[in-house]
Amino acid sequence: MNDILRRLGIESVNAGGFCGEWIGSGDTLESKSPGDGSTLASVTQVTTDEYDQIAHRAHEAFLSWRVLPAPVRGETVRQLGNALREAKADLGALVTLEMGKILPEGGGEVQEMIDICDFAVGLSRQLYGLTMHSERPGHRMYEQWHPLGVVGVISAFNFPVAVWSWNGALASVCGDAVLWKPSSQTPLTAIACTKIAERVCKATGADPAIFSLVIGRGSSVGERLLEDRRIPLVSATGSCNMGYRVGEVVGKRLGRSILELGGNNAIIVTPEADMALVVPAILFGAVGTAGQRCTSTRRIIVHESMRSELVERLLAAYKQVNIGNPMESGTLMGPLIDTKAVDTMMTAIATIKQEGGEILCGGEKLEGQQYASGCYVTPCIASARNEFQIVQDETFAPILYIIGYKTLDEAIHLHNDVPQGLSSAIFTRNLLEAERFLAHTGSDCGIANVNIGTSGAEIGGAFGGEKETGGGRESGSDAWRAYMRRQTNTINYTTELPLAQGIKFGG
């Protein structure tokens, strides 16, 4: 562990702010591993005054960064991707140590960073606008996209590095600077990434403050970021309650926000489903990252004729889940992020029973020497009804609800009848059922899949959801447009001055 931290530049005490220089004189924050409860290192958080210093420097960096040609900006991002390749093993291991996801998932998260850097490099030569025909003779009309400013990125603990890269790689090739406020539960991964970006910027001649960092209290530094008019866009990933606060404060100053919030993701299993695909998809979706993904599978809406068979298969699969140290080979599920998350899950288990549900397996807190951190649980399967309040409210833990249906229309209604709308899936070999699910009268989620699970989105597509999930889009497709400002231009190349709509003004 110490060798990994040393190679990533993590010291026993680390400054929590970066703006071309490392600063931080506020309260001390300790980072503890949920795997064994050990203290990894500590961070000196930034004060509100230090936040203002960092935000000012980030804006200065933006002013010089925006004038560079986009392909030149892309070269810095290309080298950032290469630096992440070199650090993949260590950085992935740090994700596992600090967050608790198993090593393959930690490495996979770093691979997402590498992939989005590759995507952004190509994007740096494709920031296309449109040309439109003017109704006025002798006029040319077109649109172009300009850098926006400093982009605030608020990330959550469950993807402590990938979310920053989804935003940072795109924003930087678009000509923006990035001011990152990571989760207080995973500060070391943020420091490690920022140090990698710092080295890359120094090598390319870019101002390192284009990748600035603030680790501080949400009630002070976080609120200051939301209120800061120097930050025209805030991209925030977290709970729905957090999203309501971000939307309120940023919206009040007419700023923009990209909100990636809760999910209550369901899989519909029809009689036409291939069960050899269904079970592993559900297992990864519900148990992967200990159920702490926004795309984790929460609800299974299964045809009544298939219900008994599916439950039997899932119970057998859950018995084979190896729970333990996420750093060890063969572990399929590591710990929850902290003991508070365990308490939340235990409360949810009690509520399921109170509302009339039945626990089919799991839902226990694990004890013993190897579980001494107090963050380990067994994944739970429960029989429930969609209208239960506990089902309507996302619990960020490995709890899977089994819900029956009789007709596809009923299944789609149940699927959509929750406040969230992130990821969704149907398993069927029937083309009509698949197309019905993907139609505008089908899934109301931002992501809808056929014969693959709800979890594990690729970076090539825009990522995000609807309803209380926030409506934001990050990563691929045309998500880059959110990080730029659109400008429509009209050029008159005649000596006449015709007006639009044929208006005649004056003599």
Side-chain angles (χ1 to χ4, degrees), residues 207-456:
D207 187 336
I210 61 171
F211 295 113
S212 293
L213 177 70
V214 289
I215 297 172
R217 294 183 180 275
S219 58
S220 55
V221 170
E223 285 294 310
R224 184 74 185 93
L225 188 155
L226 299 182
E227 296 166 352
D228 195 342
R229 293 183 178 273
R230 292 168 294 191
I231 299 179
L233 170 66
V234 175
S235 177
T237 301
S239 68
C240 293
N241 286 337
M242 184 270 279
Y244 279 122
R245 182 60 182 169
V246 173
E248 176 187 4
V249 178
V250 177
K252 188 175 182 179
R253 61 177 172 87
L254 299 183
R256 302 186 200 174
S257 57
I258 298 173
L259 299 177
E260 299 290 354
L261 311 174
N264 200 342
N265 315 296
I267 294 177
I268 295 175
V269 181
T270 83
E272 300 281 348
D274 182 345
M275 296 297 278
L277 298 179
V278 171
V279 174
I282 293 174
L283 189 66
F284 176 70
V287 174
T289 323
Q292 297 173 115
R293 291 180 175 224
C294 51
T295 55
S296 289
T297 306
R298 309 290 181 196
R299 297 175 295 141
I300 300 300
I301 302 170
V302 57
H303 193 270
E304 292 290 1
S305 66
M306 309 283 292
R307 182 171 183 157
S308 294
E309 178 188 355
L310 179 59
V311 168
E312 183 178 344
R313 287 176 178 246
L314 287 174
L315 291 175
Y318 269 50
K319 289 179 181 178
Q320 300 175 37
V321 174
N322 185 17
I323 304 167
N325 186 342
M327 295 291 287
E328 293 181 358
S329 174
T331 299
L332 288 184
M333 192 179 106
L336 294 181
I337 185 64
D338 55 25
T339 56
K340 182 179 178 181
V342 174
D343 292 341
T344 298
M345 180 175 173
M346 295 303 110
T347 298
I349 298 294
T351 304
I352 292 168
K353 298 175 183 177
Q354 291 170 4
E355 293 195 40
E358 179 186 359
I359 304 303
L360 303 179
C361 77
E364 301 100 359
K365 180 178 177 180
L366 290 172
E367 298 178 348
Q369 182 69 29
Q370 70 180 111
Y371 308 122
S373 68
C375 299
Y376 290 89
V377 297
T378 56
C380 174
I381 301 176
S383 177
R385 297 180 63 83
N386 202 65
E387 62 265 27
F388 289 175
Q389 189 60 51
I390 191 63
V391 176
Q392 295 284 311
D393 298 332
E394 180 191 31
T395 302
F396 221 55
I399 301 176
L400 183 68
Y401 301 109
I402 306 295
I403 300 164
Y405 80 91
K406 293 183 174 63
T407 69
L408 185 59
D409 282 346
E410 179 191 5
I412 291 174
H413 170 75
L414 290 169
H415 174 280
N416 293 345
D417 192 24
V418 291
Q420 312 84 357
L422 179 53
S423 188
S424 60
I426 188 171
F427 276 80
T428 179
R429 289 168 291 192
N430 184 311
L431 178 64
L432 301 182
E433 289 181 334
E435 291 294 341
R436 170 77 173 86
F437 181 72
L438 300 178
H440 59 275
T441 55
S443 168
D444 64 358
C445 294
I447 300 169
N449 299 327
V450 175
N451 294 330
I452 63 171
T454 63
S455 193

Side-chain angles (χ1 to χ4, degrees), residues 64-75 124 127 172-175:
S64 58
W65 180 245
R66 66 177 176 175
V67 301
L68 296 177
V72 175
R73 301 193 293 257
E75 174 59 18
S124 69
L127 302 175
S172 57
V173 298
C174 289

Side-chain angles (χ1 to χ4, degrees), residues 65-89:
W65 180 245
R66 66 177 176 175
V67 301
L68 296 177
V72 175
R73 301 193 293 257
E75 174 59 18
T76 292
V77 175
R78 186 186 71 82
Q79 294 200 29
L80 176 59
N82 288 341
L84 291 170
R85 282 182 173 88
E86 295 174 0
K88 179 179 176 179

Side-chain angles (χ1 to χ4, degrees), residues 63-122:
L63 296 178
S64 58
W65 180 245
R66 66 177 176 175
V67 301
L68 296 177
V72 175
R73 301 193 293 257
E75 174 59 18
T76 292
V77 175
R78 186 186 71 82
Q79 294 200 29
L80 176 59
N82 288 341
L84 291 170
R85 282 182 173 88
E86 295 174 0
K88 179 179 176 179
D90 284 340
L91 190 54
L94 179 56
V95 169
T96 294
L97 284 168
E98 190 171 41
M99 185 268 154
K101 62 178 62 175
I102 61 176
L103 271 176
E105 290 188 272
E109 182 169 352
V110 179
Q111 188 61 49
E112 283 193 56
M113 303 176 76
I114 296 166
D115 292 344
I116 197 64
C117 285
D118 288 349
F119 180 91
V121 173

